[in-house]
Amino acid sequence: MRIPLIAGNWKMNKTIDEAKAFMQAVSEQVTDPADVETAIAAPALLLSTMLANNPGQKLRIAAEDCYWEDAGAFTGETSPQALAAMKITYVIVGHSERRAYFNETDDTINRKVHAVYRNQMTPILCCDETMGRLEAGEKIHWVVSQVTGALKGITEEQARQLIIAYEPSWAIGSGKSASAEQVEEGCYLIRQTVADLYSDDVANEMRVLYGGSVNPENIDSIMAKPNIDGVLAGGASLNAETYLQLVHYQK
């Protein structure tokens, strides 16, 4: 049984005071992690505040990125070792914005995946799909290449814990969400790719999320699909009330 994960990605938003207010509104209202797991990925500057205002620890706190080395002369980067020492649970790697704006490649993303596992955290690996490739019918090559590139050298045991977020870049921040059928197709393809790389058992244990324009109006139809195990929401996770609506989608 794959436990659903309703995760948020704040990107470069919120001040410390705003993060504290969000935590006070949300942390005790989320579900039991055995039923629906919840997480918020926030900028590194806010993580300590969020951890300190998380009574019960039911809401997982995640990092939006990290570097592939634990320490060293890498000015401005975020150490995975330091994140692990803070008790961070998840780290997003390979987000489409990191690929587009900061020129991250499958190779650098693979290094980050290894660094996250090395520090006993779990990566949320993002894989992209552009609208142009979707219309041209080239989706299979695009999605598969990003998954296989990011998982080089990853063991079967590690892959069982992996979370992959399918995030068509044309739906991120655009307000234009993919249909539930399009999302299911992409998530199914990811799962089959993992089955080819490892086994059906590994693919069936791994969780696959949708990381597009998710909102309270479309989450029910998305979560009804068999290969979709949760969401990685952007804008809808910035507001406490809206995020809780996503979390309580079953009610």
Side-chain angles (χ1 to χ4, degrees), residues 4 7 13 16 35-37 51 64 85 90 94 96 98 114 128 144 148 153-154 157 161 171 173 208 211 214 220 229:
N13 289 293
I16 288 176
D35 299 320
V36 176
E37 191 177 3
L51 290 164
E64 294 182 2
Y90 299 121
S96 62
R98 299 294 310 179
H114 280 277
D128 188 14
V144 168
T148 56
I154 296 303
E157 181 180 357
Q161 306 303 317
V208 184
V214 183
D220 285 345
D229 304 313

Side-chain angles (χ1 to χ4, degrees), residues 127 139-150 189-190 193 197:
C127 64
K139 178 179 62 176
I140 290 178
H141 171 73
W142 184 259
V143 174
V144 168
S145 67
Q146 291 194 349
V147 173
T148 56
L189 174 60
I190 290 168
T193 300
L197 290 172

Side-chain angles (χ1 to χ4, degrees), residues 38-54:
T38 57
I40 292 288
L45 287 169
L46 306 180
L47 295 177
S48 292
T49 295
M50 298 177 73
L51 290 164
N53 290 274
N54 191 23

Side-chain angles (χ1 to χ4, degrees), residues 15-238:
T15 65
I16 288 176
D17 288 344
E18 290 170 339
K20 183 177 180 179
F22 180 94
M23 293 299 294
Q24 291 172 341
V26 165
S27 60
E28 294 185 351
Q29 303 300 319
V30 296
T31 61
D32 186 324
D35 299 320
V36 176
E37 191 177 3
T38 57
I40 292 288
L45 287 169
L46 306 180
L47 295 177
S48 292
T49 295
M50 298 177 73
L51 290 164
N53 290 274
N54 191 23
Q57 306 296 310
K58 289 194 295 183
L59 179 65
R60 312 296 190 194
I61 306 302
E64 294 182 2
D65 188 38
C66 73
Y67 196 58
W68 58 76
E69 296 288 351
D70 290 345
F74 308 107
T75 301
E77 292 292 340
T78 300
S79 161
Q81 186 178 66
L83 292 174
M86 295 172 69
K87 308 300 183 185
I88 293 299
T89 304
Y90 299 121
V91 182
I92 296 175
V93 292
H95 193 278
S96 62
E97 292 161 0
R98 299 294 310 179
R99 296 176 190 264
Y101 304 148
F102 302 100
N103 301 313
E104 292 198 3
T105 65
D106 290 344
D107 178 64
T108 59
I109 291 163
N110 175 248
R111 294 185 187 188
K112 291 184 178 187
V113 170
H114 280 277
V116 172
Y117 278 127
R118 186 173 66 243
N119 285 283
Q120 289 75 55
M121 298 178 291
T122 300
I124 299 177
L125 169 65
C126 298
C127 64
D128 188 14
E129 174 192 21
T130 67
M131 188 59 166
R133 286 183 179 268
L134 177 66
E135 291 173 345
E138 298 177 10
K139 178 179 62 176
I140 290 178
H141 171 73
W142 184 259
V143 174
V144 168
S145 67
Q146 291 194 349
V147 173
T148 56
L151 296 186
K152 288 181 180 178
I154 296 303
T155 68
E156 181 173 306
E157 181 180 357
Q158 290 171 329
R160 289 178 187 275
Q161 306 303 317
L162 179 69
I163 298 168
I164 298 182
Y166 167 59
E167 48 161 31
S169 59
W170 52 268
I172 298 171
S174 66
K176 181 180 180 182
S177 180
S179 70
E181 289 71 26
Q182 287 174 311
V183 178
E184 167 67 9
E185 183 181 9
C187 291
Y188 172 79
L189 174 60
I190 290 168
R191 201 177 301 283
Q192 290 305 303
T193 300
V194 172
D196 291 342
L197 290 172
Y198 299 98
S199 69
D200 287 340
D201 286 344
V202 172
N204 287 330
E205 286 187 37
M206 180 198 72
R207 289 183 287 182
V208 184
L209 314 180
Y210 170 52
S213 294
V214 183
N215 55 59
E217 287 69 45
N218 65 14
I219 190 169
D220 285 345
S221 61
I222 289 171
M223 292 300 296
K225 297 298 183 181
N227 282 289
I228 304 171
D229 304 313
V231 299
L232 179 61
S237 70
L238 291 171

